[in-house]
Amino acid sequence: MKYGVWAMIAALSLPLCRLQAQAAFPAWEYKINGGLNIGGTSPLPLPAEIRTISFSPRMPSPHVALETIYRLNPRWGISTQITLDYKGFKVDDQVKNLYTEIEMDDEMYTGSFTGKNTTRIHNCFITLPVAATCRLSERWEVQAGVYIAYLYTASFKGSASDGYIRQGNPVGEKTIVDRASFDFSDRQRPFDYGLLVAGEWSFSRRFAVRGQIAWGLTPAFPSNFTGIPYKMYHIYGTLGLSYRLNTK
């Protein structure tokens, strides 16, 4: 029995042993990553004010990154990137007593809105991730780390329709809303930070399929923002390809 266990361990370790035996293994590795971002800027959990919801990704939402990996040894390394990320989506929902700010007939209204809401978001971030990377085998590699992102261009707009708003609170003066608009683009925080996990499967010496998730930990809007009554976070996944510029 014990010999079978040692044989299994040896079989799992063989790919990494072959990597260790290669004298030309580089200390530095460079990649270009590209793909599409799919996700949303969302509260967690969904608030009770949202009764029904329909979500669709905003395309195109490209992800382009230049990645540098310093290989400490054949298994472990440190990854840094500079990334251009477009992140966006569209959501249609039915809300009840949602506290918000809307503009209608050149007049601002603040209060509890009931009716249909449409939100369109398309932001561009310059992102700097730092992650530990672990090579599980010759084909599989995983990463986990943190990121900080600067909001380079911002678009957070939408409309409210087919409902009414009660100014101030749910029992305030009622105003019928046929169609109104809102624009919270310049009210967003200029920086986002959070956690990042990624995985790659290499199907050739240079190319790999790459997937990652970036989970924001800071709310999209500052605490004094009154247009949305709950905290929203940037949560996006990326699926694409990685191209290795230098090979072993």
Side-chain angles (χ1 to χ4, degrees):
M1 178 67 180
K2 64 180 181 179
Y3 298 109
V5 173
W6 283 111
M8 184 180 297
I9 294 174
L12 292 173
S13 303
L14 185 58
L16 290 175
C17 290
R18 287 202 299 264
L19 289 175
Q20 180 74 60
Q22 296 179 14
F25 191 89
W28 293 93
E29 189 173 313
Y30 306 97
K31 299 179 181 180
I32 295 176
N33 304 326
L36 294 176
N37 289 310
I38 300 175
T41 303
S42 173
L44 292 174
L46 288 177
E49 291 90 342
I50 299 178
R51 299 308 173 91
T52 63
I53 188 168
S54 174
F55 169 87
S56 60
R58 183 82 177 266
M59 292 299 180
S61 293
H63 161 94
V64 180
L66 176 62
E67 180 179 11
T68 300
I69 301 177
Y70 179 65
R71 298 289 180 187
L72 302 173
N73 54 52
R75 180 183 288 272
W76 293 99
I78 300 172
S79 166
T80 60
Q81 299 181 51
I82 181 167
T83 303
L84 185 67
D85 277 309
Y86 284 88
K87 297 179 177 181
F89 69 97
K90 175 188 174 185
V91 63
D92 296 293
D93 50 21
Q94 187 79 31
V95 300
K96 183 175 182 179
N97 293 333
L98 175 67
Y99 192 86
T100 188
E101 302 172 2
I102 59 176
E103 182 178 357
M104 184 172 59
D105 299 328
D106 297 325
E107 186 175 350
M108 294 299 300
Y109 294 82
T110 300
S112 297
F113 172 72
T114 297
K116 294 181 179 179
N117 173 70
T118 297
T119 303
R120 296 178 178 86
I121 298 175
H122 204 214
N123 293 325
C124 176
F125 292 90
I126 298 174
T127 309
L128 300 174
V130 178
T133 177
C134 178
R135 179 168 287 174
L136 302 178
S137 69
E138 290 181 307
R139 291 190 179 272
W140 282 101
E141 185 169 1
V142 294
Q143 297 178 347
V146 297
Y147 74 87
I148 185 169
Y150 169 68
L151 183 57
Y152 183 66
T153 61
S155 179
F156 193 115
K157 303 178 181 180
S159 63
S161 63
D162 301 328
Y164 60 88
I165 188 169
R166 291 189 179 275
Q167 298 191 58
N169 56 66
V171 295
E173 181 183 351
K174 182 177 180 180
T175 301
I176 299 299
V177 177
D178 293 323
R179 186 167 185 84
S181 64
F182 59 87
D183 187 348
F184 302 148
S185 301
D186 59 357
R187 311 282 289 277
Q188 297 182 83
R189 291 182 188 267
F191 290 96
D192 177 40
Y193 69 89
L195 304 177
L196 180 142
V197 293
E200 287 187 4
W201 179 75
S202 299
F203 58 89
S204 73
R205 292 182 65 197
R206 291 191 179 271
F207 285 96
V209 177
R210 179 180 175 87
Q212 73 174 35
I213 296 176
W215 194 295
L217 297 179
T218 184
F221 295 96
S223 58
N224 60 357
F225 175 65
T226 59
I228 298 176
Y230 36 76
K231 296 178 180 180
M232 303 183 70
Y233 300 89
H234 302 295
I235 306 170
Y236 285 83
T238 306
L239 183 62
L241 295 175
S242 176
Y243 177 75
R244 186 177 292 109
L245 296 175
N246 58 330
T247 59
K248 302 182 290 292

